[in-house]
Amino acid sequence: MKAESSGPAHGEREGRGGLREFSESTFLLVLSLCKAAEEGAGREGGQGRWEGGTEGGREGGREGGALEAALLVLAGMVERGHGNVLAFNMVLKMCERRGDARRALLLLAEMRSLPALLPDLITYNTLISACAKGHRPRDAQRLVKELEGEGGRILPSLVTYNSLLAALAQAGQWKEAMRVLQTLQRKNLRPDVITYTSLIQACSKARPSQVKKALYYLELMKEAREGGGEVTPDAVAYAAAIEACARGGPNAGWGETALRLFEEMQERGMEAPAQVYRALVQACGNDVVPEGRAPTPSGPSGASDTSAAMRASTPPAPRRPMTTARVWSLLQACPPAHRNNFVYTAAAKACERGRDWGMALRLVEDMRRLGIEPDDITHGQLLHVLASMGRWEEALGVLASIRRRNVRHYTSAIRACGLAGGAAAREGMPLYVRMREEGLVPDLYVYNVVLQALRAADCDLPGNGQPLSSPSSPPSSPSSSTSVADDALALYEEMCGNSPAKYAAGTLSFGKNNRRGQQLPRSLPPPPPVTPDIVSFTVLISILERHGRHAQALRVFQDGVRAQVLMTTPLDTLWEKDLSRLSFQLVRAAVDFSVGELVADFRHQLKAAAGTKDPDVQDLVLITGSDVRGARGAGGGPRQDGMGKERMGAAHGQVPETRQALARLVLSEKGLIPADEESRKPGVLTVPANVMRQWLCKQ
């Protein structure tokens, strides 16, 4: 405190001669005024037990500077010799309201440095509460241990442990919170509604969420009320339980339980805030299944505990499948004042699970009707729903309505175009250029999505090497001279930071009702380099191979090998290559690369030996079936399929055969193996050493 406040206080004393003349009662009066100003700002910001309820109060107090003024006054008291526990507690309370745990702990250290000034129970309770609001559970636990170690001078109260529970609840430390409850029982302290609510919140925020335990504590509160006890669950406790159901995860069956709790709140006349509706929509959305699909089993199995509380905490079987229609009805039942971006984002996630793109568009219309401006997260979720179902025109319409678009918005729209295929996929490159034109910097995921959209567009063109043009561009547009392969290579060069990318992506249709035919720039400065991954190399090489650009595909494959992304099997040797992990799109480039290594090594040996001895030549062995190595099992080992996933060859039985047929075709084109020769061993192609020697000598 001295380091932060003694300077200004000293200047005040010398310049105006005021603080040194104040009496102790005057100091306390000024501190009371500062504390009242802080509390008034907190009430204007909206205090309460709701999550985030003190944020406005903290901001209001910070703007008024009440805490800073109080620190100056307290520094003057200490300098004058009037510092006491009451004054420190008043300033600590102001720090607690703001959640400023760091400054509160500094005040405690300053307080302990003063002679004959010992913290009391109010001091510790305020400090622990400040640590709870400041998300510092370890400091809160340390303070409680210090308080318990005071040797009986100060006895912790229920408020002390409730503040500690609040700190543990924020961190989701439910096991530690249960230990605190056991401590309360040992000390004969009766838990109240705040105690149980903190336990529910701790179980809710745990990872993974302990939903059954959270509902168990809520049922304990109900049993205490029904038995004539003083513990009655309030709206905050119900809200915490519903949020626990929302965090229960998909297909867990907690949606019905959340609806039941919400109905109980309404029956008891409790007012639910916006976060309850968000949690309710999220909990129901987690259990949404597409139309016509049977619902998954609901929730965990019944508990072995036969108590009423534990039985009630087990989710019942769903009365009927949770659909997007039920989520929509629940959203419409939410008061308009409580609808916000959080609620609509939760509803959009339900649309994704139910594969209901029509409801996603209705959500956009409903937000516009209520005058709610979707934020980046809501827009991103809505675009993600449309993209996952390939609704490219609707995605472009939503994208056009966004005022401040970001990279993820464009990525979802490009992905929607790519999944739709055909003419829609040709909109991917113009969208990417528009994104770059707006100054947005792409990352690896963006590049991969654009490359996949190019491949989807390329597959729908009539033949290899056909130019890529937008469906709205005239035949004479500049895009007609640029192929998919050229745009893909330009993207790759841009990723590696080699040269400014040049595109001729044609024109862009930005929504159904927007003006079409706007020409895009042909050149853009490159963004920072990005390291390609297996998806980037696979998609790019597949595009180049389809266009017959084998030399360029080989160069890109060599870049992937140098980057240790391709051909990373440690068992590979110069004469034995394992191709079983490669996608079949990479087979030609892999064979070209393997044979090219042999040619380079043969020439190097000839040059080094200078005719004194023959170069070493062995059988060339190409392993195309993953069952050959044995370690990966019969018929299937993990392979790189161009989407960044590993799939089992046993589940895709045609992949090893396709890989082997392609490798045999490449070897036959080079004259190393007859096209009609059958392999002597399934999954293995072998070129004898004498054939390899004759072929290498001709190169």
Side-chain angles (χ1 to χ4, degrees), residues 316-343:
R319 291 170 289 184
R320 61 182 186 273
M322 193 70 69
T323 61
T324 53
R326 294 185 66 184
V327 176
W328 175 261
S329 300
L330 182 62
L331 180 66
Q332 296 304 307
C334 173
H338 288 340
R339 299 188 207 176
N340 53 28
N341 279 283
F342 296 105
V343 177

Short mmCIF file of all heavy atoms in Angstrom, two decimals, residues 316-343:
data_model
loop_
_atom_site.label_atom_id
_atom_site.label_comp_id
_atom_site.label_asym_id
_atom_site.label_seq_id
_atom_site.Cartn_x
_atom_site.Cartn_y
_atom_site.Cartn_z
N PRO A 316 -34.69 -38.66 -15.83
CA PRO A 316 -35.70 -39.61 -16.29
C PRO A 316 -35.55 -39.87 -17.78
O PRO A 316 -34.87 -39.16 -18.49
CB PRO A 316 -37.01 -38.89 -15.99
CG PRO A 316 -36.65 -37.43 -16.10
CD PRO A 316 -35.23 -37.32 -15.61
N ALA A 317 -36.20 -40.93 -18.23
CA ALA A 317 -36.22 -41.21 -19.67
C ALA A 317 -37.00 -40.11 -20.37
O ALA A 317 -38.00 -39.61 -19.85
CB ALA A 317 -36.88 -42.56 -19.93
N PRO A 318 -36.55 -39.67 -21.53
CA PRO A 318 -37.24 -38.57 -22.22
C PRO A 318 -38.67 -38.93 -22.58
O PRO A 318 -38.96 -40.05 -23.02
CB PRO A 318 -36.38 -38.33 -23.46
CG PRO A 318 -35.62 -39.61 -23.65
CD PRO A 318 -35.41 -40.19 -22.30
N ARG A 319 -39.57 -37.98 -22.38
CA ARG A 319 -40.97 -38.22 -22.72
C ARG A 319 -41.15 -38.33 -24.23
O ARG A 319 -41.96 -39.09 -24.71
CB ARG A 319 -41.83 -37.08 -22.15
CG ARG A 319 -41.91 -37.09 -20.63
CD ARG A 319 -42.55 -35.83 -20.11
NE ARG A 319 -41.68 -34.68 -20.29
CZ ARG A 319 -41.98 -33.46 -19.84
NH1 ARG A 319 -43.13 -33.25 -19.20
NH2 ARG A 319 -41.15 -32.46 -20.03
N ARG A 320 -40.40 -37.57 -24.97
CA ARG A 320 -40.43 -37.67 -26.42
C ARG A 320 -39.09 -37.14 -26.93
O ARG A 320 -38.38 -36.44 -26.20
CB ARG A 320 -41.59 -36.86 -27.00
CG ARG A 320 -41.55 -35.37 -26.72
CD ARG A 320 -42.78 -34.68 -27.31
NE ARG A 320 -42.72 -33.25 -27.18
CZ ARG A 320 -43.14 -32.58 -26.13
NH1 ARG A 320 -43.63 -33.23 -25.09
NH2 ARG A 320 -43.07 -31.25 -26.08
N PRO A 321 -38.71 -37.47 -28.14
CA PRO A 321 -37.40 -37.02 -28.64
C PRO A 321 -37.29 -35.50 -28.60
O PRO A 321 -38.23 -34.78 -28.93
CB PRO A 321 -37.37 -37.56 -30.07
CG PRO A 321 -38.33 -38.69 -30.08
CD PRO A 321 -39.41 -38.33 -29.11
N MET A 322 -36.13 -35.04 -28.16
CA MET A 322 -35.86 -33.60 -28.15
C MET A 322 -35.52 -33.17 -29.57
O MET A 322 -34.57 -33.66 -30.18
CB MET A 322 -34.71 -33.29 -27.20
CG MET A 322 -34.55 -31.82 -26.89
SD MET A 322 -35.89 -31.18 -25.86
CE MET A 322 -35.54 -32.01 -24.31
N THR A 323 -36.32 -32.27 -30.12
CA THR A 323 -36.15 -31.81 -31.50
C THR A 323 -35.91 -30.32 -31.51
O THR A 323 -36.09 -29.62 -30.50
CB THR A 323 -37.39 -32.14 -32.34
OG1 THR A 323 -38.53 -31.46 -31.78
CG2 THR A 323 -37.66 -33.64 -32.35
N THR A 324 -35.52 -29.83 -32.67
CA THR A 324 -35.32 -28.38 -32.80
C THR A 324 -36.64 -27.64 -32.65
O THR A 324 -36.64 -26.47 -32.25
CB THR A 324 -34.69 -28.07 -34.16
OG1 THR A 324 -35.47 -28.68 -35.21
CG2 THR A 324 -33.27 -28.60 -34.24
N ALA A 325 -37.76 -28.29 -32.96
CA ALA A 325 -39.06 -27.63 -32.78
C ALA A 325 -39.32 -27.33 -31.31
O ALA A 325 -39.84 -26.26 -30.96
CB ALA A 325 -40.17 -28.51 -33.36
N ARG A 326 -38.94 -28.26 -30.43
CA ARG A 326 -39.11 -28.00 -29.00
C ARG A 326 -38.19 -26.89 -28.53
O ARG A 326 -38.57 -26.06 -27.70
CB ARG A 326 -38.84 -29.28 -28.21
CG ARG A 326 -39.83 -30.40 -28.45
CD ARG A 326 -39.56 -31.58 -27.54
NE ARG A 326 -39.81 -31.22 -26.14
CZ ARG A 326 -39.58 -32.05 -25.12
NH1 ARG A 326 -39.07 -33.26 -25.35
NH2 ARG A 326 -39.82 -31.66 -23.89
N VAL A 327 -36.97 -26.86 -29.06
CA VAL A 327 -36.04 -25.78 -28.69
C VAL A 327 -36.57 -24.44 -29.18
O VAL A 327 -36.49 -23.42 -28.48
CB VAL A 327 -34.64 -26.06 -29.26
CG1 VAL A 327 -33.70 -24.91 -28.98
CG2 VAL A 327 -34.08 -27.35 -28.66
N TRP A 328 -37.15 -24.42 -30.38
CA TRP A 328 -37.73 -23.18 -30.90
C TRP A 328 -38.89 -22.72 -30.03
O TRP A 328 -39.01 -21.52 -29.73
CB TRP A 328 -38.17 -23.39 -32.34
CG TRP A 328 -38.88 -22.22 -32.93
CD1 TRP A 328 -40.22 -22.05 -33.06
CD2 TRP A 328 -38.29 -21.02 -33.44
NE1 TRP A 328 -40.51 -20.84 -33.62
CE2 TRP A 328 -39.33 -20.17 -33.87
CE3 TRP A 328 -36.97 -20.58 -33.58
CZ2 TRP A 328 -39.10 -18.93 -34.42
CZ3 TRP A 328 -36.74 -19.34 -34.14
CH2 TRP A 328 -37.78 -18.52 -34.55
N SER A 329 -39.75 -23.63 -29.61
CA SER A 329 -40.86 -23.26 -28.74
C SER A 329 -40.36 -22.72 -27.41
O SER A 329 -40.91 -21.75 -26.87
CB SER A 329 -41.77 -24.47 -28.50
OG SER A 329 -42.30 -24.95 -29.72
N LEU A 330 -39.31 -23.33 -26.89
CA LEU A 330 -38.73 -22.85 -25.64
C LEU A 330 -38.14 -21.46 -25.81
O LEU A 330 -38.27 -20.59 -24.93
CB LEU A 330 -37.65 -23.83 -25.18
CG LEU A 330 -36.95 -23.53 -23.86
CD1 LEU A 330 -37.94 -23.54 -22.71
CD2 LEU A 330 -35.84 -24.55 -23.61
N LEU A 331 -37.51 -21.21 -26.95
CA LEU A 331 -36.95 -19.89 -27.22
C LEU A 331 -38.05 -18.84 -27.32
O LEU A 331 -37.90 -17.72 -26.81
CB LEU A 331 -36.12 -19.93 -28.50
CG LEU A 331 -35.46 -18.62 -28.93
CD1 LEU A 331 -34.41 -18.19 -27.92
CD2 LEU A 331 -34.85 -18.76 -30.31
N GLN A 332 -39.16 -19.18 -27.97
CA GLN A 332 -40.25 -18.22 -28.10
C GLN A 332 -40.91 -17.94 -26.76
O GLN A 332 -41.49 -16.87 -26.56
CB GLN A 332 -41.28 -18.74 -29.11
CG GLN A 332 -40.75 -18.88 -30.52
CD GLN A 332 -40.17 -17.58 -31.05
OE1 GLN A 332 -40.82 -16.54 -31.03
NE2 GLN A 332 -38.93 -17.63 -31.53
N ALA A 333 -40.85 -18.92 -25.84
CA ALA A 333 -41.41 -18.70 -24.50
C ALA A 333 -40.53 -17.81 -23.65
O ALA A 333 -40.99 -17.30 -22.61
CB ALA A 333 -41.62 -20.04 -23.80
N CYS A 334 -39.29 -17.63 -24.05
CA CYS A 334 -38.37 -16.76 -23.30
C CYS A 334 -38.79 -15.30 -23.50
O CYS A 334 -39.04 -14.86 -24.62
CB CYS A 334 -36.94 -16.97 -23.80
SG CYS A 334 -35.72 -15.83 -23.11
N PRO A 335 -38.92 -14.52 -22.43
CA PRO A 335 -39.29 -13.11 -22.58
C PRO A 335 -38.31 -12.38 -23.49
O PRO A 335 -37.10 -12.62 -23.43
CB PRO A 335 -39.23 -12.58 -21.14
CG PRO A 335 -39.40 -13.78 -20.28
CD PRO A 335 -38.74 -14.91 -21.02
N PRO A 336 -38.80 -11.50 -24.34
CA PRO A 336 -37.89 -10.79 -25.26
C PRO A 336 -36.77 -10.05 -24.54
O PRO A 336 -35.67 -9.91 -25.07
CB PRO A 336 -38.82 -9.82 -26.00
CG PRO A 336 -40.17 -10.47 -25.93
CD PRO A 336 -40.21 -11.18 -24.61
N ALA A 337 -37.04 -9.58 -23.32
CA ALA A 337 -36.01 -8.85 -22.59
C ALA A 337 -34.85 -9.75 -22.20
O ALA A 337 -33.74 -9.26 -21.93
CB ALA A 337 -36.61 -8.20 -21.34
N HIS A 338 -35.09 -11.06 -22.12
CA HIS A 338 -34.05 -11.99 -21.71
C HIS A 338 -33.37 -12.67 -22.90
O HIS A 338 -32.48 -13.50 -22.69
CB HIS A 338 -34.63 -13.07 -20.80
CG HIS A 338 -35.00 -12.56 -19.44
ND1 HIS A 338 -34.48 -11.41 -18.91
CD2 HIS A 338 -35.86 -13.06 -18.50
CE1 HIS A 338 -34.97 -11.20 -17.70
NE2 HIS A 338 -35.82 -12.19 -17.43
N ARG A 339 -33.78 -12.36 -24.10
CA ARG A 339 -33.13 -12.96 -25.26
C ARG A 339 -31.90 -12.13 -25.63
O ARG A 339 -32.00 -10.91 -25.81
CB ARG A 339 -34.09 -13.03 -26.45
CG ARG A 339 -35.32 -13.88 -26.19
CD ARG A 339 -36.12 -14.07 -27.46
NE ARG A 339 -37.53 -14.30 -27.18
CZ ARG A 339 -38.47 -14.42 -28.09
NH1 ARG A 339 -38.14 -14.33 -29.38
NH2 ARG A 339 -39.72 -14.62 -27.75
N ASN A 340 -30.79 -12.81 -25.74
CA ASN A 340 -29.55 -12.14 -26.12
C ASN A 340 -28.73 -13.09 -26.99
O ASN A 340 -29.19 -14.16 -27.37
CB ASN A 340 -28.77 -11.71 -24.87
CG ASN A 340 -28.56 -12.86 -23.89
OD1 ASN A 340 -28.51 -14.03 -24.29
ND2 ASN A 340 -28.45 -12.54 -22.61
N ASN A 341 -27.53 -12.67 -27.30
CA ASN A 341 -26.69 -13.47 -28.19
C ASN A 341 -26.35 -14.83 -27.59
O ASN A 341 -26.19 -15.82 -28.32
CB ASN A 341 -25.40 -12.70 -28.52
CG ASN A 341 -25.60 -11.68 -29.61
OD1 ASN A 341 -25.67 -12.01 -30.78
ND2 ASN A 341 -25.71 -10.41 -29.24
N PHE A 342 -26.22 -14.90 -26.25
CA PHE A 342 -25.90 -16.18 -25.63
C PHE A 342 -27.03 -17.18 -25.86
O PHE A 342 -26.79 -18.35 -26.16
CB PHE A 342 -25.66 -15.98 -24.13
CG PHE A 342 -24.49 -15.13 -23.82
CD1 PHE A 342 -24.65 -13.83 -23.38
CD2 PHE A 342 -23.20 -15.61 -23.96
CE1 PHE A 342 -23.56 -13.03 -23.09
CE2 PHE A 342 -22.10 -14.83 -23.67
CZ PHE A 342 -22.28 -13.53 -23.23
N VAL A 343 -28.28 -16.72 -25.71
CA VAL A 343 -29.42 -17.61 -25.89
C VAL A 343 -29.50 -18.08 -27.34
O VAL A 343 -29.71 -19.27 -27.63
CB VAL A 343 -30.72 -16.91 -25.46
CG1 VAL A 343 -31.92 -17.81 -25.72
CG2 VAL A 343 -30.66 -16.51 -23.99
#
